[in-house]
Amino acid sequence: QGSGSLERSSGINAEYGGFSFGPPSAGFSFGSTPATTQSPAKEETKPSPFAGFSFGSPGVQSVGTPTVSAPTLDYKKFVAEPSSETLEQITSPGSVTGALECESPARVAEFLGKLSRVMDNKTTDTAHQIMDAVLTTSFAKSEFSASVVTNELLVTMGLIKSEDKDYKPLTEVENMLRLLSHAVSQPYFPPTSAKIVSAFVSKDREVLSNKINDCTELLNSFQI
């Protein structure tokens, strides 16, 4: 029996590569059951440094260069009371016509007189474009003849007396003359009306010369 036990022991050792076996408390197990792997401890969630920010989504604060919106202009307010500050911000001169009664020659002349008071060297081009849009629309929409529009422009400068005894024409006419000098050379300005303006400017040339410094070139531009 001793010899048989020895043989069995030697066979077991040969089969399991020299392992020795003790009581179950040794902790070894054999078979196809995989060893249990301990899961790593779950890390505590930390707040994101970008919490509250959204990249590219509207309505939420975005990271990047802020977009500056163009100011919204109140054209009706500008027509009622033009200002040099608002004139500098206008990028669509044609939009002024939507806020002005272009079919009314008196309203048109009144507005252009106010416009002339706030224009300067920086805004001359914008003022010209506004006048072009306004007069083009006025000549097309007016129920009266083009001469009525022209007469109202001359009344604004005091070159024709107004039927309204309380009416006060412009005291500073240089800018208005510069606007008209531009307008009379444009295709939309009726040739007959351009000649009427030229005739009144020539008639009052001496009076206008006393109001404007270095006006020779300006007044000569009306020789049509």
Side-chain angles (χ1 to χ4, degrees), residues 27-31 33:
F28 288 96
S29 62
F30 299 87
T33 304

Side-chain angles (χ1 to χ4, degrees), residues 27-217:
F28 288 96
S29 62
F30 299 87
S32 59
T33 304
T36 303
T37 304
Q38 185 178 3
S39 300
K42 187 177 181 180
E43 295 184 3
E44 181 181 356
T45 303
K46 297 181 180 180
S48 170
F50 300 103
F53 289 88
S54 173
F55 297 85
S57 300
V60 183
Q61 183 178 1
S62 299
V63 176
T65 304
T67 301
V68 179
S69 301
T72 302
L73 298 181
D74 187 339
Y75 285 100
K76 287 187 177 181
K77 183 179 180 181
F78 176 73
V79 166
E81 199 59 47
S83 68
S84 56
E85 293 79 7
T86 304
L87 182 57
E88 289 182 13
Q89 297 174 13
I90 290 178
T91 57
S92 178
S95 298
V96 174
T97 60
L100 178 64
E101 296 178 43
C102 292
E103 66 276 6
S104 169
R107 294 289 187 187
V108 168
E110 179 186 15
F111 166 69
L112 294 177
K114 291 179 179 180
L115 177 66
S116 71
R117 290 201 298 262
V118 299
M119 63 176 280
D120 54 28
N121 291 335
K122 293 188 299 182
T123 56
T124 296
D125 288 343
T126 303
H128 283 170
Q129 292 175 47
I130 291 174
M131 188 171 200
D132 291 342
V134 168
L135 288 182
T136 297
T137 305
S138 182
F139 283 131
K141 283 189 174 183
S142 178
E143 298 178 357
F144 307 95
S145 65
S147 62
V148 177
V149 179
T150 307
N151 287 349
E152 289 293 344
L153 294 173
L154 295 172
V155 167
T156 301
M157 294 188 295
L159 299 181
I160 291 180
K161 290 184 178 180
S162 173
E163 295 179 359
D164 182 358
K165 294 181 180 180
D166 296 327
Y167 181 80
K168 295 181 179 180
L170 294 172
T171 55
E172 299 292 335
V173 298
E174 181 175 354
N175 282 348
M176 188 63 182
L177 278 172
R178 293 189 182 283
L179 285 176
L180 270 180
S181 174
H182 165 80
V184 296
S185 64
Q186 302 305 308
Y188 63 78
F189 208 97
T192 301
S193 295
K195 291 179 180 180
I196 292 173
V197 172
S198 176
F200 276 92
V201 169
S202 298
K203 180 174 72 71
D204 291 321
R205 185 183 184 99
E206 185 176 347
V207 175
L208 293 173
S209 298
N210 293 331
K211 294 182 178 181
I212 305 171
N213 294 325
D214 300 326
C215 65
T216 302
E217 183 178 353

